[in-house]
Structures are given as structure tokens and as C-alpha cells.
Amino acid sequence: MAFAAVSTPFSLSSVSPTRRRSFRNVSAPRVISASLSPDVSPLLRAAHHTVDSYVKSGMVIGLGSGEASDMAIRYLGQQLRSGSLQSVVGVPMSARSASEAAKYGIPLEYFRDDFQIDFAFHDADAVEESTLIAVIGRRRSSQEADYILKQKSIVKAADEAVFLIKEEQYKASLEGSIPVLVQSLNWLAIAEEIDDLYLGDAEVWRRASVGDAGPLGGDFPIVTSDGHNILDVIFTTPIPSLANVAESLETIDGVVDHGLVIKTRCSVVIAGETEVRTVTLQTSTVEGDV
């Protein structure tokens, strides 16, 4: 089976998805900057800025996963121990974030569908400039891959969310992979349909649990605890619209979910070399989270 072929340029304008959301009337994101001390790593300052700016005593906080989220969890634990914050409860998005939180003394509750979460932070792999749509789940770790659905659910459930990224991860036109969770029994047919959708502009690989096993995922593909395979849709040309990609993927039978997160109340904290920038989505009409 071949998952890469050369054809006409990528265009989602001809796709007619069954589920539509409106992204019209989205104004330019608002940007706030803060200077950095040269002695502090950008990600560490971004993590501290996130906790100081968004976390209040008595909140229930979604605790993300990743390098910056680890730093934010440690700092949150320090603030609780010092008494600067009180009665904060964490909801971990992964075993990694649960371990960090327990290590630094943050009380934990585990996520339920009816859980009320005040605020959540999480490392994103990339964020689209104009919409602040985030890509998560690119990290090729079998442990982290099992938590894509939980991470997305907690971010969606939060009243407000922040994605933590480095400067180079914040772009107008993104490339790279988008993880897609699919039913494992008919994964090959689903992969071929996705490949046809983005013919010539993306390759589709089943994620392996060990090493780089090629497009089919080798003998040991990742199977999540819910029985799903993960397909990495690897775009080789700039993606015109992450919103259109999300909508088109949702029209395919057997696609369970994907690593694109559309959050109406969100900000991005960007760790630059000389400053931390906070970009907040200002919307007048945005329907639904993805």
C-alpha cells in the first residue's frame, strides 16, 4: 500500500463536511508581552507567568503534560507550600502530570465528564496564529499517546485554557503531523480514505510503539487503552486551514478524534528568547470546541 502520491495541490474548499462550525468574524488575537531576565530559561518564565497570571486560590486546574507544563506544575506546588495559593486542586492529563503533581504536593482529582474545571494549561506542539487552533499529541511516546483524548477533554471542559509553546511553534502556516485516532479493526481502510483526501500533500503512517517501523506501523503498532490506533497525517506542504482539516477528518467513518484543539476561550503563552508573549483569542462568532 502506498500512502504518498503526487497529485493536484491541496485544497479543502471542495470538501463538504457533515459537521460545520463558523470561524467568521474572528478578530486579530490580542498580544501582551513581558520582558525576560537573561538568566531564566524562556520556558521556565512562561510557566511561572502562566501560574501567576491565571491560577487563583480555590481553583480546579487541568494539569497539562510536557516540558513547560512540568515546570508550571512544580511552580504551582511551590506556591501552595509557601501559602501564596491555597485550596487548589489539580486534574492531571497524563500519568506524567499526575506524578509531577504528587511529587510537589498538589492535591489531585481524576477527570469525570461532569467535572467543573476553572482553568487548564498544556504544552502544544504547534499553534496556528490567526485562530489559536492547537496541535497536540505529536510526541511519539506510547505512554503519552494513550492520553490524547483525556488531554483534549480536559482542555475543552475548562472555563479557560492556556497553551504553552516556544516561539518557533507559533506560525501562520503550519506543517508537520496531525495525529488521528481511529478504530483499529479497519484502520487500513480509514488510512487510505485520509490519504485520498490529502493526496499529494500528506503521507499517512500508523504510529508504532517501538522505533520507526514504516507506514504500516510494523509488528507493534500503538493500541491505546480504548483500542484505537494512531495515524500520523504528515503534511509536506503548508496547511491552509487547521479548521478545515478538523472538519474534513470528522466526516470519515472510523475516525474517533484527532489532535486539533479548537477552544473559544484560550490564550497562548509564547516563550521567546527575550520576552514572554501572551496571545488571547478575541472572538465575536465562534461556534463550538473541537
Side-chain angles (χ1 to χ4, degrees):
M1 172 186 57
F3 279 135
V6 178
S7 184
T8 56
F10 172 45
S11 173
L12 288 175
S13 60
S14 60
V15 178
S16 300
T18 57
R19 296 170 55 192
R20 294 186 179 274
R21 290 173 177 83
S22 172
F23 292 89
R24 301 181 182 89
N25 303 321
V26 178
S27 61
R30 180 168 61 92
V31 181
I32 299 174
S33 299
S35 298
L36 272 176
S37 165
D39 300 326
V40 177
S41 76
L43 277 181
L44 180 60
R45 179 58 64 87
H48 285 204
H49 173 77
T50 298
V51 174
D52 289 338
S53 300
Y54 294 95
V55 180
K56 311 298 180 187
S57 292
M59 278 188 167
V60 177
I61 307 295
L63 304 176
S65 193
E67 184 179 1
S69 292
D70 286 350
M71 295 175 181
I73 291 169
R74 293 167 198 156
Y75 182 59
L76 176 57
Q78 293 167 8
Q79 295 296 91
L80 287 170
R81 285 199 303 273
S82 71
S84 299
L85 289 171
Q86 297 178 349
S87 302
V88 171
V89 175
V91 180
M93 297 190 193
S94 68
R96 172 177 174 170
S97 55
S99 176
E100 285 296 311
K103 190 185 304 181
Y104 287 89
I106 300 173
L108 295 178
E109 292 281 352
Y110 288 90
F111 181 67
R112 303 185 305 271
D113 288 340
D114 60 347
F115 217 75
Q116 178 64 42
I117 299 174
D118 299 298
F119 172 71
F121 58 81
H122 186 44
D123 285 40
D125 298 305
V127 173
E128 186 177 61
E129 277 187 18
S130 59
T131 63
L132 302 193
I133 297 175
V135 182
I136 66 170
R138 282 182 176 176
R139 288 185 290 276
R140 291 176 173 270
S141 162
S142 57
Q143 291 182 332
E144 285 295 304
D146 206 33
Y147 294 104
I148 293 174
L149 286 177
K150 178 181 282 188
Q151 291 163 0
K152 192 168 175 178
S153 295
I154 291 174
V155 169
K156 287 173 59 179
D159 290 341
E160 189 172 5
V162 158
F163 296 110
L164 294 150
I165 58 171
K166 297 178 181 178
E167 187 74 49
E168 61 269 21
Q169 295 170 299
Y170 183 64
K171 295 181 178 180
S173 297
L174 297 177
E175 297 182 22
S177 64
I178 294 173
V180 181
L181 286 91
V182 300
Q183 296 170 358
S184 58
L185 290 178
N186 58 335
W187 76 268
L188 185 56
I190 300 167
E192 289 175 340
E193 188 170 350
I194 295 172
D195 185 58
D196 290 342
L197 188 62
Y198 306 123
L199 195 62
D201 296 282
E203 299 178 3
V204 182
W205 290 45
R206 183 165 63 157
R207 191 176 296 185
S209 60
V210 180
D212 188 358
L216 300 183
D219 295 329
F220 303 101
I222 285 179
V223 180
T224 71
S225 58
D226 294 319
H228 305 137
N229 284 155
I230 297 178
L231 303 179
D232 286 307
V233 183
I234 307 166
F235 286 89
T236 55
T237 60
I239 304 169
S241 166
L242 290 183
N244 286 347
V245 171
E247 290 180 348
S248 63
L249 286 171
E250 290 166 6
T251 66
I252 298 175
D253 288 339
V255 168
V256 177
D257 212 330
H258 48 72
L260 295 174
V261 186
I262 302 173
K263 179 74 178 173
T264 58
R265 290 196 62 189
C266 76
S267 298
V268 179
V269 174
I270 305 166
E273 289 299 322
T274 58
E275 66 177 9
V276 169
R277 289 192 294 145
T278 300
V279 183
T280 301
L281 185 64
Q282 304 293 299
T283 67
S284 57
T285 304
V286 177
E287 299 174 5
D289 297 338
V290 174

